[in-house]
């Protein structure tokens, strides 16, 4: 009874049990390891439909799916579902269908594991690989940092009260910060998460990653629904779920239950952001694990529904927190040093204040599951890129044995985890605002992969120019946003017919990449017919 | 096995459905509507949840009428499914 009542302790125990289960799963999966590079990096192309669905869904859903969705709904209202979730349901599956299946076929035929191997072969250009390598790695690293930093923050906030003497958190006014005081420090929480992910990726490779992702996806989906039910029952104060839902629905203020404060053009142009999935290097590697083309069918169909199952409850919880049924005490968590409500802390806050310690611990495990299910794929993917596209490519395949490639991939993974953890300790101030910029960067490269698969006229010079155009426009707008201090909210303002429309920067990035790629391709030499014949039936 | 022309027609149907979904996604008609569906769900959220279901149905149809690859052509018999193995 004492353990259950001790604030922070049940949460810590549940987190540790969950991490232990993950480690066991990862180590067990390593017993099936065949010792080859192909098995380590793509699980010998043996993954069936269910595991592919769960691993791809877990990889694309970060902590943002649970914590950020409720936080954004708290700030912007129900419109965030259309802006971020239903759009992803359409576009992600479109990418699986249009890019994933086709690229899988070509990769199986020509033995690619990474995007860079595909582009080098398709365009007969070594330089495209050299160009894409730093861009892909550079766009993945902030994404990784968000996961590493978030994991520490989640562990600390959900174990708050555990040991105020050992882990004091004092505010600028000299008083303890209640929401964090006594929680496991962020450096320790992040370290433990990184080590756990490292262990199961190191030993289990892609098979361990896929199994772990599957378990984690099941965990965060179930816990999300349980959390929704418990919070609805507590906040609503009525008898029965429907009565609670109705009471809470009526309590939502009009500006949150509609989109009266949301720009229609911004909502529309947000549709381009999910195209990033077509160029995510870690998702590309997951596609390569598919046993057959038909394996893609289940993920294609279920992905939009899964997004709905996770997002709708979180968005509802977020808008309920703005309503009249939200208790005034304890007060909503604020961003330290300001009077602004910390929207990303809304869900953990509600769980801490409206549910018991056990559910709070389970939710912590659920959020960590969402974080780790993206981190593992990204670590593995960067290790694979370094090994295949740099080391093996320049050393020569004939000079590196299969076993050595597995060893190098593992060593690179250790290095990447260590570097990311080190960067995370520096707590770069704007890293969370970088999320949408990373996604926009990947989206801007979408025309290149699409044209490589469907346009015989694409040339190496066209693709290289398109990549340069994408990254140049990205850099120019990023610089403007930094200068204006609007990294999180930066939009292009388009005057038309006496009105000004807000357009997401991804539109300009994608158009510049697309137009440049087409124009340059029209005037430069194509790869030979023999090469094209290998890519176009 | 579906013929090439059937597959091509299927592709056009799926393309049309995706365009329709994207048009329906921009639901300006519900922008300021605060109706609660089933008494608890704001209609803007309900509509987009339906879009998610519509997307799933569209992709389910795509696997039937417009699937680009035939496993009989691409399958490699030596590979073994993880799920079959477990």
């Amino acid at each position: 009874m004492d353990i259950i009542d001790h604030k922070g302790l049940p949460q810590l125990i549940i987190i540790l049990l969950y991490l232990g289960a993950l480690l066991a799963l990862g180590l067990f999966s390593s017993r099936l390891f065949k010792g080859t590079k192909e098995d380590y990096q793509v699980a010998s192309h043996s993954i069936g439909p269910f595991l592919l669905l769960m691993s791809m869904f877990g990889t694309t859903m970060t902590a943002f799916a649970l914590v950020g969705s409720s936080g954004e709904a708290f700030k912007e209202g129900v419109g965030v579902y259309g802006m971020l979730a239903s759009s992803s349901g359409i576009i992600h599956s479109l990418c699986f269908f249009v890019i994933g299946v086709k690229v899988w076929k070509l990769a199986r035929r020509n033995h690619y594991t990474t995007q860079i191997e595909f582009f080098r072969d398709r365009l007969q250009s070594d330089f495209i690989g050299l160009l894409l390598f730093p861009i892909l790695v550079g766009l993945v690293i902030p994404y990784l940092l968000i996961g590493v930093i978030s994991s520490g923050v989640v562990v600390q906030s959900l174990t708050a009260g555990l040991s105020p003497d050992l882990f004091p958190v004092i505010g600028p006014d000299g008083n303890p910060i209640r929401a964090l005081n006594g929680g496991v420090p962020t450096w320790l929480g992040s370290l433990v998460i990184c080590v756990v992910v490292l262990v199961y990726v190191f030993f289990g490779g892609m098979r361990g990653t896929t199994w772990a992702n599957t378990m984690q996806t099941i965990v965060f989906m179930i816990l999300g629904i349980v959390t929704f039910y418990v919070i609805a029952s507590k906040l609503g104060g009525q008898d029965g779920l429907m009565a609670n839902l109705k009471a809470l629905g009526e309590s939502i203020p009009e500006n949150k239950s509609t989109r009266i404060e949301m720009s229609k053009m911004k909502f529309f142009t947000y549709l381009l952001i999910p195209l990033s999935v077509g160029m995510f290097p870690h998702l590309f590697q997951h596609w390569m694990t598919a046993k057959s083309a038909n394996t893609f069918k289940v993920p294609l169909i279920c992905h939009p529904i899964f997004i709905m199952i996770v997002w709708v409850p979180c968005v509802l919880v977020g808008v309920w927190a703005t309503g009249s049924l939200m208790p005034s005490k304890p007060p909503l968590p604020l961003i330290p040093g300001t009077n602004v409500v910390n929207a990303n802390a809304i869900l953990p806050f509600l769980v801490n204040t409206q549910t018991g310690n056990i559910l709070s611990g389970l939710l912590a495990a659920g959020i960590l599951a969402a974080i780790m299910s993206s981190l593992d794929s990204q670590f593995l993917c960067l290790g694979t890129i370094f090994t295949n596209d740099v080391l093996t490519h320049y050393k020569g395949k004939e000079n590196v044995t299969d076993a050595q490639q597995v060893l190098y991939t593992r060593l690179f993974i250790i290095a990447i985890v260590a570097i990311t953890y080190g960067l995370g300790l520096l707590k770069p101030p704007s890293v969370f605002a970088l999320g949408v910029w990373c996604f926009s960067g990947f989206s801007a490269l979408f025309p290149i992969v699409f044209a490589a698969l469907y346009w015989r006229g694409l040339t190496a010079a066209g693709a290289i120019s398109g990549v340069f155009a994408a990254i140049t426009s990205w850099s120019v707008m990023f610089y403007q946003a930094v200068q204006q201090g609007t990294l999180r909210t930066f939009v292009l303002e388009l005057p038309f017919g006496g009105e000004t429309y807000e357009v997401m920067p991804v539109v300009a990035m994608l158009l510049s990449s697309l137009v440049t790629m087409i124009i340059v391709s029209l005037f430069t030499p194509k790869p030979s017919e023999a090469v094209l014949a290998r890519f176009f039936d | 096995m579906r013929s090439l022309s059937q597959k091509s027609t299927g592709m056009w149907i799926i393309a049309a459905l995706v365009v329709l979904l994207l048009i329906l996604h921009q639901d300006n008609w519900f922008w300021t509507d605060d109706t609660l569906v089933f008494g608890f769900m704001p209609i803007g959220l309900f509509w987009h949840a339906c879009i998610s279901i519509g997307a799933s149905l569209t992709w389910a149809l795509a696997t039937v009428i417009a699937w680009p690859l035939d496993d009989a052509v691409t399958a490699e018999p030596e590979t073994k499914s993880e799920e079959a193995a477990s």
Side-chain angles (χ1 to χ4, degrees):
Chain A
M1 201 55 197
D2 284 339
I3 291 175
I4 291 175
D5 291 338
H6 186 114
K7 200 143 177 49
L9 188 56
Q11 288 91 331
L12 182 68
I13 292 171
I14 292 169
I15 290 170
L16 291 176
L17 286 174
Y18 177 68
L19 295 179
L22 265 182
L23 281 177
L25 188 72
L27 293 174
F28 177 73
S29 71
S30 72
R31 295 176 63 182
L32 300 177
F33 179 43
K34 295 172 185 166
T36 63
K37 175 193 112 174
E38 192 176 50
D39 198 57
Y40 191 75
Q41 295 180 347
V42 288
S44 299
H45 314 285
S46 63
I47 299 300
F50 177 70
L51 290 179
L52 188 68
L53 162 69
M54 300 309 263
S55 59
M56 287 192 341
F57 182 70
T59 300
T60 51
M61 291 293 121
T62 60
F64 189 81
L66 289 178
V67 181
S69 55
S70 44
E72 287 298 311
F74 179 84
K75 284 193 292 190
E76 309 276 349
V78 296
V80 298
Y81 183 86
M83 200 154 80
L84 302 166
S86 63
S87 55
S88 297
I90 304 168
I91 305 288
H92 285 184
S93 286
L94 178 69
C95 290
F96 301 162
F97 183 66
V98 174
I99 309 289
V101 178
K102 182 128 185 173
V103 101
W104 175 88
K105 179 182 124 183
L106 293 170
R108 290 305 302 276
R109 190 190 287 166
N110 300 309
H111 306 287
Y112 314 130
T113 305
T114 70
Q115 283 165 316
I116 290 175
E117 288 170 318
F118 162 66
F119 280 114
R120 273 182 170 145
D121 194 27
R122 163 70 179 85
L123 299 166
Q124 297 293 293
S125 162
D126 196 49
F127 183 70
I128 186 85
L130 275 178
L131 180 63
L132 279 175
F133 171 72
I135 292 172
L136 295 178
V137 174
L139 289 173
V140 170
I141 281 184
Y143 198 177
L144 270 174
L145 274 176
I146 293 170
V148 170
I149 296 172
S150 305
S151 59
V153 172
V154 166
V155 172
Q156 185 181 45
S157 61
L158 287 172
T159 56
L162 177 70
S163 179
D165 295 333
L166 202 56
F167 308 128
V169 182
I170 309 297
D173 57 359
N175 293 320
I177 299 174
R178 242 184 91 189
L180 303 174
N181 195 34
V184 174
T186 52
W187 68 266
L188 183 57
S190 293
L191 179 65
V192 171
I193 296 300
C194 280
V195 169
V196 169
V197 174
L198 174 63
V199 168
Y200 75 72
V201 174
F202 184 94
F203 288 106
M206 180 53 92
R207 184 175 288 101
T209 301
T210 301
W211 285 18
N213 272 0
T214 301
M215 174 175 149
Q216 310 209 69
T217 305
I218 293 169
V219 166
F220 77 71
M221 287 180 78
I222 292 175
L223 290 177
I225 292 168
V226 171
T227 305
F228 171 77
Y229 176 79
V230 174
I231 289 177
S233 304
K234 192 77 193 293
L235 277 183
Q238 309 291 315
D239 290 329
L241 181 63
M242 268 319 276
N244 282 314
L245 291 177
K246 283 182 179 175
L248 286 163
E250 285 161 8
S251 75
I252 306 170
E254 189 191 359
N255 63 336
K256 304 296 178 193
S257 66
T258 65
R259 282 160 283 173
I260 50 179
E261 292 172 353
M262 192 174 272
S263 155
K264 285 178 184 161
M265 185 57 96
K266 187 178 172 188
F267 183 89
F268 176 64
T269 53
Y270 231 96
L271 265 176
L272 295 179
I273 302 271
L275 285 176
S276 52
V277 159
M279 271 303 287
F280 278 167
H282 46 288
L283 204 59
F284 184 99
Q285 197 168 345
H286 271 292
W287 289 340
M288 296 308 107
T289 66
K291 183 194 167 218
S292 70
N294 281 351
T295 308
F296 282 85
K297 288 183 177 177
V298 172
L300 193 75
I301 297 166
C302 295
H303 192 82
I305 295 281
F306 273 32
I307 291 177
M308 185 187 77
I309 291 170
V310 172
W311 274 73
V312 167
C314 290
V315 167
L316 281 173
V317 167
V319 291
W320 291 342
T322 65
S324 55
L325 290 179
M326 186 70 187
S328 55
K329 284 185 181 175
L332 292 171
L334 302 178
I335 296 172
T338 71
N339 284 324
V340 179
V341 173
N342 184 358
N344 284 334
I346 288 295
L347 186 64
F349 171 79
L350 281 170
V351 170
N352 267 337
T353 56
Q354 305 298 318
T355 72
N357 285 346
I358 299 290
L359 184 60
S360 170
L362 290 171
L363 183 78
I367 297 172
L368 292 176
I371 293 172
M372 288 190 287
S373 63
S374 300
L375 279 182
D376 51 13
S377 305
Q378 291 159 342
F379 283 139
L380 178 63
C381 154
L382 291 188
T384 305
I385 288 179
F386 273 105
T387 305
N388 294 16
D389 299 327
V390 181
L391 197 134
T392 308
H393 180 75
Y394 288 107
K395 221 172 163 186
K397 275 183 186 168
E398 63 285 357
N399 298 321
V400 192
T401 65
D402 227 35
Q404 282 174 324
Q405 290 191 55
V406 173
L407 175 68
Y408 291 138
T409 310
R410 284 175 158 164
L411 293 176
F412 277 127
I413 290 169
I414 294 175
I416 293 155
V417 174
I419 290 168
T420 314
Y421 175 70
L423 289 174
L425 288 182
L426 301 175
K427 293 192 175 128
S430 302
V431 71
F432 288 92
L434 284 180
V436 77
W437 286 93
C438 292
F439 281 49
S440 300
F442 283 119
S443 300
L445 298 173
F446 180 84
I448 316 289
V449 68
F450 185 83
L453 292 169
Y454 292 98
W455 186 34
R456 297 172 69 96
L458 177 71
T459 68
I464 290 165
S465 312
V467 174
F468 270 119
I471 215 65
T472 306
S473 53
W474 187 95
S475 304
V476 168
M477 283 181 276
F478 185 74
Y479 178 74
Q480 284 179 343
V482 171
Q483 291 291 99
Q484 295 167 11
T486 54
L487 211 50
R488 195 182 285 274
T489 55
F490 185 82
V491 286
L492 299 171
E493 293 188 340
L494 200 69
F496 186 75
E499 289 204 39
T500 303
Y501 295 95
E502 291 183 340
V503 175
M504 289 300 290
V506 65
V507 176
M509 295 175 202
L510 195 138
L511 281 177
S512 61
S513 152
L514 177 68
V515 171
T516 310
M517 177 191 78
I518 292 173
I519 291 174
V520 176
S521 289
L522 290 175
F523 296 101
T524 47
K526 285 189 288 187
S528 68
E529 277 305 317
V531 170
L532 290 176
R534 289 198 287 118
F535 293 90
F536 297 92
D537 296 326
Chain B
M1 199 180 291
R2 297 174 62 81
S3 72
L4 270 179
S5 69
Q6 280 175 317
K7 209 179 264 184
S8 171
T9 310
M11 282 286 189
W12 281 110
I13 293 171
I14 296 304
L17 285 173
V18 170
V19 171
L20 179 66
L21 279 172
L22 294 175
I23 292 168
L24 294 175
H25 181 269
Q26 188 66 26
D27 59 329
N28 291 356
W29 49 91
F30 287 139
W31 214 259
T32 56
D33 191 337
D34 62 354
T35 305
L36 294 174
V37 180
F38 307 126
F40 76 91
M41 200 178 212
I43 196 160
L45 180 59
F46 177 76
W47 176 260
H48 280 275
C50 292
I51 297 268
S52 297
I53 295 167
S56 271
L57 294 174
T58 300
W59 295 119
L61 185 65
T63 64
V64 178
I65 65 168
W67 195 243
L69 283 183
D70 195 333
D71 261 9
V73 179
T74 55
E76 292 193 13
E78 73 272 19
T79 58
K80 193 171 81 170
S81 165
E82 287 286 309
E83 282 147 57
S86 58

